[in-house]
Amino acid sequence: MASVLILGGGFGGLAAAHSLRRLLPDSDEIYLVDRSPTFVIGFRKTWAVVGHSTLEEGTRALDSLQSGGVTFIQGSVDSIDPEGLAAVVDGNRIEADAMVVALGAALDRAVIPGLEAHALDFYDPASVPAAQQAIDAFEGGTVLIGIFGEPYKCPPAPYELALLLQETFQERGVPANLEVFTPKPMSLPILGEAGCSIIESRLEANGVHFLPNHRPISVETGAVRFSTARRSFDLLIGVPPHKVPNVVQESGLTGEHGWVEVNPLTLATRFEQVYAIGDVTQLSLADGKPHPKAGIFAEAMAEVAASHIAARLKGGISEAVYSGEGHCFLEMGRGQAALVRGRFMAKPAPEVELTEPSEAFFEAKMAFERERLARWFPG
């Protein structure tokens, strides 16, 4: 009997658990560890903040995985021993024959002085209720939405929030001046100038002022400071800088860039039978840009890693490789969404496009959530 230890119950961890359960004999054990008792798909946080739905509608209990043959352990990962194929969870050492690290990216608000004190956060589920209450109570003024570090999860999310929030304020008759800033020279550099021009034109057409090349230094009461400017706000919503979780940093899995180093085709780390997937990794694309961090990519990585783990445990070899094909949704209001889609790992350069927005893509976004919740949490 063999066992696999999965650290993290997000998109990647759940996809890995279900893939392994399908590929391995029933007698093999699969353990999934997460400090939260529940799972919620990331884009539901934006819906909750603007009042379109609640987090609870898309939340599922991780202990229900037991019925599908996956043992869920709720607890905090104290340390990871990749050489020993083990982790310490709430003081208890758990050993396995293979391990998947899927602990995601941690939010590092402290790196920007004043950010935690003055900004609302819609990336952390625990912070969503406070953000929603502040938006509900907002009576008018300047709303500043800012990207405070890079890379960050779900690159279209800040622009999607700006468009949906503007629509919400207009429906409520709230006089709001919305601005969104990024340290980058364009909104989504992976799309190139033509694709970014479409997004930025859509923002401006909807009354959202786009501010490129704005790298924040600090936040004070009522203003964000940049190297050469200062921007005032009545309401600030920030995307905090991201970093690898401390427990992963301390494990020896990370490389010079600060994220877990993996083989980009197999997601294997330098340690035997230890794989890392999703936001905790940072792959480089052929043009040197960072691979986007999003759930659909974590899911695809999980399936490749699971294939290699299962094959090795059975004494075989897997030929599965990560292709980097996938998409992110970009909701644009009025019941429409576009897709940022393509072959991100293509050579000599990524092949990525922005589709025209449509109601069909908005329906596809809702179906995306329904299908995965039904698959991972049947019954």
Side-chain angles (χ1 to χ4, degrees), residues 50-312:
V50 300
H52 286 183
S53 63
T54 66
L55 285 179
E56 289 72 23
E57 290 175 65
T59 299
R60 299 293 183 271
L62 288 171
D63 62 10
S64 65
L65 297 173
Q66 307 280 158
S67 62
V70 175
T71 300
F72 172 59
I73 301 170
Q74 184 182 352
S76 296
V77 180
D78 302 324
S79 64
I80 302 170
D81 175 10
E83 271 192 58
L85 287 170
V88 175
V89 180
D90 287 345
N92 299 310
R93 182 178 173 88
I94 303 172
E95 298 181 347
D97 299 290
M99 183 160 58
V100 179
V101 180
L103 288 169
L107 303 179
D108 191 12
R109 304 176 186 87
V111 74
I112 303 291
L115 178 62
E116 187 160 17
H118 299 292
L120 301 172
D121 179 2
F122 75 110
Y123 266 58
D124 180 0
S127 301
V128 166
Q132 183 183 8
Q133 289 171 14
I135 289 168
D136 285 346
F138 188 66
E139 296 181 349
T142 297
V143 179
L144 193 57
I145 299 172
I147 298 166
F148 281 82
E150 48 191 350
Y152 63 96
K153 297 181 283 187
C154 195
Y159 308 111
E160 180 177 83
L161 175 64
L163 289 167
L164 296 182
L165 202 52
Q166 181 72 302
E167 185 178 57
T168 295
F169 287 145
Q170 289 173 349
E171 290 173 351
R172 286 170 41 193
V174 174
N177 171 41
L178 267 73
E179 301 179 337
V180 57
F181 70 77
T182 175
K184 291 292 190 180
M186 57 188 80
S187 50
L188 293 177
I190 191 71
L191 285 172
E193 289 186 13
C196 288
S197 177
I198 294 172
I199 293 174
E200 293 155 23
S201 295
R202 185 76 176 228
L203 290 169
E204 296 289 350
N206 283 270
V208 179
H209 187 37
F210 175 64
L211 302 167
N213 296 312
H214 277 61
R215 186 172 295 277
I217 295 173
S218 64
V219 184
E220 58 192 43
T221 301
V224 177
R225 288 195 174 275
F226 305 93
S227 57
T228 59
R230 180 179 180 274
R231 209 78 188 177
S232 298
F233 64 82
D234 296 293
L235 196 67
L236 173 65
I237 304 173
V239 178
H242 290 29
K243 68 173 185 176
V244 73
N246 290 337
V247 69
V248 178
Q249 176 67 48
E250 295 161 1
S251 71
L253 285 163
T254 58
E256 293 181 0
H257 50 47
W259 301 88
V260 179
E261 288 192 338
V262 294
N263 180 314
L265 297 179
T266 65
L267 290 313
T269 70
R270 64 187 180 89
F271 296 95
E272 192 76 9
Q273 280 290 69
V274 178
Y275 293 77
I277 59 176
D279 296 344
V280 77
T281 68
Q282 186 59 73
L283 305 184
S284 292
L285 306 184
D287 60 1
K289 292 184 177 71
H291 189 298
K293 296 180 182 293
I296 196 164
F297 299 117
E299 181 180 8
M301 291 177 184
E303 291 170 357
V304 172
S307 177
H308 284 273
I309 289 172
R312 290 285 299 278

